[in-house]
Structure formats: C-alpha cells, structure tokens
Amino acid sequence: MAHYVSVIENDRNAYRRAHAYLQLARLPITEIRSFLFVAVGKELQSNVPNKVKASGLLALAPLCRSRGDLYKFMELLPACVTLSGGFVEGTLYQASVATRTAADEGVVTDTFRIWLSNYGEQRPILYALLAVVGKMQLSTLATSVVAFYESPAAEEDSVLKVICLRALNAMRADKALVVPIVLEAFHDADWRVRATACNVVGDLRLVNAVQQLRNALSDAAFYVRLNAARALLALGEISLLERFANPSLDADHSDPYRASICNYILNTKVLTRDDNRYAVSH
C-alpha cells in the first residue's frame, strides 16, 4: 500500500498513478480515505487523462462510510463532465452502497432527497442521481422521481423521462404512482419513452395497461412493438398474441408487421431486452 500511495503522491507519470489507483481499488483500505479524497480531487481539477480520473474514483467510491463521505464524493462529480454518464452513475452507486452498508439506508435516502433538490438543474448529475435512486430501490423517493417526470424540464428532455421511468421500475414503486405517468408515456413523441413504458408495464405487471400494449403493437417504431409484445407475454396475454400472429384469427389482419413481431415473441418466448437498444445515451 505504501508504494502505491507514494506513486500517487509523487509520480508525475499519469498512467503510473492510474495503475496505483487501480491497485488500491482492489483492496479498499479505509485508512487512506482522507488521502484519496484529496488526491482524487486534485486529479479531477487538473488536465490529466480521463483514465486517471476514472481510476481515482474507482478507488475512492468503496471507501465511503458516512454521510460526510458521501457528500465529499458528490462534490467531486461535477468535475467529471468528460467521463461517461454511465461511469459517473456507477461510481456514485458504489459509494452509496458502501455508505448504506457502513451506516444505514436512512442516511442514504435523506442525502439523495437533498441532492435531488440541489442538483435538479445540473442534468448529467441529475441523471446519475435518479438512476441510483432506482438501483438502490429507495422507494420513499418515488414521489420525487414522479415530480421530475412531470416537470416542465422533462417536456423537452426524453432522456430524463426514460431515466425516471426506469427508476420507478427498478424500485418497484407503488402502482398508484406509476400507472398515470406510464399511460401518458404511451403517447410520447419519442419512441424511447414509449418503449420504456412497455417495459415498465411488463415488469410491474400493470394489467390495466393491456389496451395500451395492444395499440403499441402497431407503433411506428420497431422497439416499441417488440417491447409491447414482450410485455404482453409477461402479462400472460398469450391468446392475444396468438390472435394477432395468425391472420385467420385476426379480423383486422392489415398489419403484417404486427403479426411478425407476435410470431417472433411466441416462437422464442424472449423476455430479455436487447441491451444495445435498451441503453439510452447520457
């Protein structure tokens, strides 16, 4: 450990420092937490390769043990604008899980409630916060997530809507909160929002949205149709899928594309998502 600390502190070669951070990340040692907060903060404020910044955050995230640590970690993230949104989200998740393990969930929940209020205008950070709220299943913050989905800012930000829907899905939020915005999402102009709405219906078993899924089978976007068919399969609507798949059973068989999607889902029984299309770029 002493060797890697010395490299981080004294070596001018950025890539050797990155290697040192990664080695320390393999063996989280809480005694060097204060040192790493200072060292990583300096890296983020300097003109070093992103590999160094990312390695530093990876080493630091698992060392968070308290509300104070979590706040200090969050203070570093606004300087990470050149790192991918998914990486920022992942390290914030790691730091939050470490804090919850060392402290308790109440500390993390209260902290995120404050952050959602304070960082609401910093979109990349807000995306990460909402995603982590969902992954950590902080269901007491579901109303805050709904508020962001319904905010004026979301009207022009489809990514924000998608992240809110995914967060509510991941935390298994109260259906009474989720159903109204999901039904609205089926009419959104962005196919990504509509496709995500289908996923939520299937995952949360929102049986009162079967008609919306049925309509989505004829959506203009392929992945909306595909996710709608998967959601219908998850809800056990086999007979509906069979009817649309078979022209002899479907009185309205004017949509061969719908028939092919239903046939595909029935033949493969595929419920998993295409990760390449399921991901939304930050």
Side-chain angles (χ1 to χ4, degrees), residues 181-277:
I181 66 171
V182 168
L183 295 181
E184 175 189 332
F186 276 101
H187 303 287
D188 198 272
D190 194 307
W191 70 267
R192 295 172 297 179
V193 178
R194 302 195 303 276
T196 305
C198 294
N199 289 335
V200 176
V201 170
D203 290 347
L204 297 186
R205 304 298 192 264
L206 304 180
V207 295
N208 50 347
V210 170
Q211 183 59 50
Q212 283 73 18
L213 290 176
R214 175 176 174 171
N215 296 340
L217 288 173
S218 298
D219 195 275
F222 168 77
Y223 277 93
V224 178
R225 294 180 182 233
L226 183 62
N227 288 355
R230 287 172 173 166
L232 286 167
L233 180 62
L235 293 176
E237 294 291 336
I238 305 297
S239 59
L240 179 60
L241 290 170
E242 289 175 339
R243 178 153 58 87
F244 285 142
N246 190 337
S248 65
L249 299 176
D250 184 8
D252 176 20
H253 51 81
S254 58
D255 190 348
Y257 198 10
R258 178 177 63 188
S260 66
I261 288 289
C262 292
N263 264 311
Y264 170 72
I265 292 300
L266 288 169
N267 289 333
T268 61
K269 297 293 191 296
V270 175
L271 284 173
T272 56
R273 304 184 182 102
D274 180 334
D275 290 337
N276 292 325
R277 291 289 182 169

Side-chain angles (χ1 to χ4, degrees), residues 123-154:
R123 204 54 55 89
I125 300 299
L126 177 61
Y127 293 162
L129 287 172
L130 290 168
V132 174
V133 164
K135 287 182 177 180
M136 297 195 68
Q137 297 186 325
L138 303 180
S139 56
T140 56
L141 299 180
T143 53
S144 298
V145 177
V146 170
F148 276 107
Y149 183 92
E150 296 177 336
S151 67

Side-chain angles (χ1 to χ4, degrees), residues 26 127 171 175 177 182 212 280:
R26 296 172 59 192
Y127 293 162
M171 69 173 61
K175 293 180 181 179
L177 283 173
V182 168
Q212 283 73 18
V280 174

Side-chain angles (χ1 to χ4, degrees), residues 5-39:
V5 168
S6 177
V7 170
I8 292 170
E9 197 166 27
N10 302 311
D11 201 315
R12 294 186 178 183
N13 186 294
Y15 292 99
R16 282 197 288 266
R17 295 201 307 276
H19 175 75
Y21 284 122
L22 291 176
Q23 292 302 313
L24 291 176
R26 296 172 59 192
L27 297 171
I29 303 170
T30 56
E31 287 77 11
I32 63 171
R33 179 173 59 245
S34 298
F35 165 76
L36 281 181
F37 268 115
V38 174

